[in-house]
Amino acid sequence: MAHTTDRGGRKAGTRKRADAERNIVAIIAAATESFARDPDASMTDIAKAAGLGRVTLYAHFPSREQLLRTVLAETIAESTRIIEAASPAEGPPAEALARMIRSCWPLLSRFGSLHAAAQRALPADEVRRRHDRPMAHVERLVARGRAEGAFRTDLPVEWLVTTVYTLLHAAADEAAAGRLATEAVGEILEKTLLAALKSE
Amino acid sequence: MAHTTDRGGRKAGTRKRADAERNIVAIIAAATESFARDPDASMTDIAKAAGLGRVTLYAHFPSREQLLRTVLAETIAESTRIIEAASPAEGPPAEALARMIRSCWPLLSRFGSLHAAAQRALPADEVRRRHDRPMAHVERLVARGRAEGAFRTDLPVEWLVTTVYTLLHAAADEAAAGRLATEAVGEILEKTLLAALKSE
């Protein structure tokens, strides 16, 4: 008898965990889409988009900030994988930069106003620090480009990395606001950043 | 008698208006400094910095957003005057751009994290729209530079203006966070923006 109850309890536990996992996945997907469309998306908007009640949403994410942090961490991790797949350490630096921009742009574009949502709700330093992993690839590429004579050496590396970071996100904001045609942005970013970074 | 009372009333009214004006000036100065230092400065912080009570502060500015809007409008008006004093419509476009950047940078630097405060509390479109007047000077200068063959024509004018706007504010953020030396920023911005804008 004890054995059966135990098995039943374990089954119920497994089912509960599976439900929780499914809910978390649904919440993160709904939150990503909601923040991409509207930087001020509320917990109520997100619960509705996920097809869940507010109680369930708050059981998994006690605050909007915490949900935003999770969504930001997931999307930055995805961007990092895409940047790594573009092999920024290989080939001529200018070509590697162009490849990196073109590979991560569609993702940045899909995340729309998510970065703006993060900037509005989280400390500026935190938002930037969360981008440390993808930006480390940019920093290494800029350093390599300088060593190989392809990129300028008259400005601090950190500033050149900030220029890349800032213009990538500005382009995403402009496209999200309908002021830049999404399909043109990859080329626009590539031309702007190569001109800003290349050596004289 | 009626005459004397009227004069007394008028005097008291004048004094009241003078007090109110002095308070408003003190509040705007304190708020500008507070937001420059801390984008999350509260109404309590600002009242304290102005040497006034919260009741007086709220009597003049019923909300933090309204105070932030007033401070932003004042500082943007000041930046516009400085940009206009740099005569962007005169001389070779690259020199005019350099002159404009160098003239408005000290101001931008002084306003520190005010722009970040505005981005956190006000709608993104509003913050950008409030910069329409100074940015119109940048837009005209970019258009003139393109017509005269000094600036690139392969990218949309709006994007080149966004590049100037974004990097100016990014530099202010970096300097406010201590990641860029304030005294070096004028030259860094000039070099970066001229490279990004100039024709091939």
Side-chain angles (χ1 to χ4, degrees), chain A residues 118-160:
Chain A
Q119 280 188 309
R120 287 173 76 87
L122 306 176
D125 278 357
E126 180 187 332
V127 175
R128 179 60 192 263
R129 208 171 51 243
R130 285 184 178 272
H131 285 83
D132 274 355
R133 271 195 59 213
M135 283 305 121
H137 289 287
V138 176
E139 191 168 340
R140 273 197 292 275
L141 174 53
V142 170
R144 178 166 76 88
R146 283 155 69 108
E148 295 180 16
F151 294 152
R152 66 196 303 166
T153 54
D154 61 339
L155 298 176
V157 175
E158 300 72 24
W159 170 250
L160 297 178

Side-chain angles (χ1 to χ4, degrees), chain A residues 4-50:
Chain A
T4 314
T5 309
D6 186 38
R7 268 219 311 226
R10 236 185 289 164
K11 255 193 190 163
T14 309
R15 200 164 47 238
K16 226 172 151 180
R17 276 196 303 279
D19 281 353
E21 258 171 50
R22 215 176 10 250
N23 286 346
I24 290 172
V25 169
I27 291 167
I28 293 176
T32 307
E33 253 185 67
S34 302
F35 289 132
R37 257 200 321 272
D38 174 11
D40 296 317
S42 69
M43 289 294 263
T44 306
D45 297 335
I46 292 165
K48 205 181 286 177

Side-chain angles (χ1 to χ4, degrees), chain A residues 72-88 100 103-104 107 111 130-137 140:
Chain A
L72 196 64
E74 293 249 337
T75 54
I76 292 173
E78 198 177 339
S79 307
T80 308
R81 286 191 294 273
I82 288 213
I83 286 176
E84 285 166 359
S87 312
M100 189 195 268
S103 68
C104 76
L107 210 66
F111 298 147
R130 285 184 178 272
H131 285 83
D132 274 355
R133 271 195 59 213
M135 283 305 121
H137 289 287
R140 273 197 292 275

Side-chain angles (χ1 to χ4, degrees), chain B residues 50-70:
Chain B
L52 295 169
R54 279 169 51 94
V55 172
T56 310
L57 174 58
Y58 278 102
H60 293 296
F61 297 96
S63 73
R64 186 176 179 275
E65 282 69 33
Q66 200 166 319
L67 176 53
L68 193 44
R69 282 193 169 97
T70 305

